[in-house]
Amino acid sequence: MLGTMLPYAAIGVRFSRSRWLALVALMVLLALSTAPHKEFRFALTLLPIGLIYAGHGARMTFGEGSLKIHRFARWPLLAVVVLSNILFGYYMSRWHQSGPIELVSYVAALPQRVPAARVHFWMPCHSTPFYSQIHRPIELWFPDCSPTARLSAAGSESQQLESHPTDFLNKMYTSRPLPTHAALFESMLDDTTPFLSAHGFVQEERFFHQHVSGDRDVVSYTHLTLPTKRIV
């Protein structure tokens, strides 16, 4: 998480009079590493500790009478830290995993064209924002992944959709009407194309999502697609 500030953090820990915070952070990180479910957000509470040591390390490289680093080494290191964070920050905020935000913005505008729009998210649960960002009287649905559902023998709806998408969709829509629009990752298109074709769905829109996957997902979801039901 520290990225290019890691050298500053290492210098800060090395020349700090108190290293117990670094030891606590390391112990927490090791404990989190033993959990079967891992996410970067679980370790975010450790980031301020790393930044404290990084700030101390930066001060040590530039402070008078402290760590002696040649001026031709300290300035390139600072330039790398500043430029890399600017470029990486812009990329992460502009492109990386931007698909869900563009998708829900598109969905929020659907009632202007389709007053009775019903949108179902055929993707892992909580992959996109929900009513908190859409703010429209649209019927929305996403698969259940609650702790109770995960304990069932068949697994949660989200797990069933990921493992056997066509079987799950055929079973689910025997007792409920089809949506006017469905959102899914393109990695699921091969498995769901027969279902989409059989029920008159065609692709209406496509959204870029990410270049690389950095989370626990096995499949790298590169694009989002929004099929809509053809009106005949």
Side-chain angles (χ1 to χ4, degrees):
M1 293 186 295
L2 289 172
T4 53
M5 287 187 286
L6 192 58
Y8 281 141
I11 293 172
V13 173
R14 170 64 179 82
F15 294 96
S16 176
R17 288 178 294 180
S18 177
R19 302 190 183 103
W20 65 271
L21 273 178
L23 180 61
V24 169
L26 179 61
M27 292 176 62
V28 172
L29 191 61
L30 291 175
L32 292 174
S33 299
T34 63
H37 178 70
K38 302 177 181 66
E39 293 186 35
F40 280 122
R41 62 191 177 97
F42 297 161
L44 282 179
T45 53
L46 305 178
L47 185 58
I49 297 176
L51 293 176
I52 289 173
Y53 283 108
H56 180 59
R59 176 182 174 276
M60 292 294 294
T61 59
F62 284 92
E64 295 182 2
S66 55
L67 181 64
K68 300 295 184 182
I69 293 184
H70 198 278
R71 61 178 180 174
F72 293 115
R74 66 175 69 167
W75 288 109
L77 177 58
L78 180 62
V80 168
V81 170
V82 173
L83 290 177
S84 63
N85 277 274
I86 291 175
L87 294 175
F88 189 70
Y90 182 76
Y91 170 79
M92 294 295 288
S93 59
R94 177 64 182 85
W95 289 297
H96 184 63
Q97 296 188 347
S98 59
I101 303 301
E102 294 185 22
L103 170 66
V104 295
S105 298
Y106 187 90
V107 169
L110 275 179
Q112 300 175 11
R113 298 183 291 106
V114 188
R118 300 189 309 278
V119 182
H120 291 186
F121 297 92
W122 298 346
M123 55 182 65
C125 61
H126 306 298
S127 295
T128 69
F130 213 51
Y131 286 109
S132 60
Q133 182 160 335
I134 293 177
H135 298 296
R136 294 291 187 275
I138 306 174
E139 178 190 315
L140 302 178
W141 175 88
F142 69 87
D144 181 21
C145 62
S146 62
T148 303
R150 293 177 184 178
L151 294 176
S152 67
S156 67
E157 290 181 341
S158 182
Q159 292 169 328
Q160 294 178 53
L161 176 62
E162 289 188 79
S163 57
H164 304 288
T166 302
D167 293 342
F168 174 79
L169 294 175
N170 282 323
K171 180 180 178 181
M172 188 178 79
Y173 290 108
T174 57
S175 58
R176 69 170 66 187
L178 286 163
T180 59
H181 296 74
L184 65 154
F185 289 109
E186 284 196 341
S187 57
M188 293 180 62
L189 274 181
D190 289 341
D191 293 327
T192 57
T193 293
F195 180 89
L196 294 170
S197 301
H199 293 86
F201 282 91
V202 293
Q203 181 172 292
E204 178 174 316
E205 194 56 74
R206 185 171 180 259
F207 307 95
F208 172 77
H209 183 48
Q210 63 186 13
H211 290 105
V212 295
S213 177
D215 53 25
R216 63 185 177 88
D217 295 322
V218 176
V219 180
S220 179
Y221 301 126
T222 57
H223 287 83
L224 282 161
T225 186
L226 184 72
T228 181
K229 200 171 190 310
R230 185 188 292 115
I231 305 299
V232 295

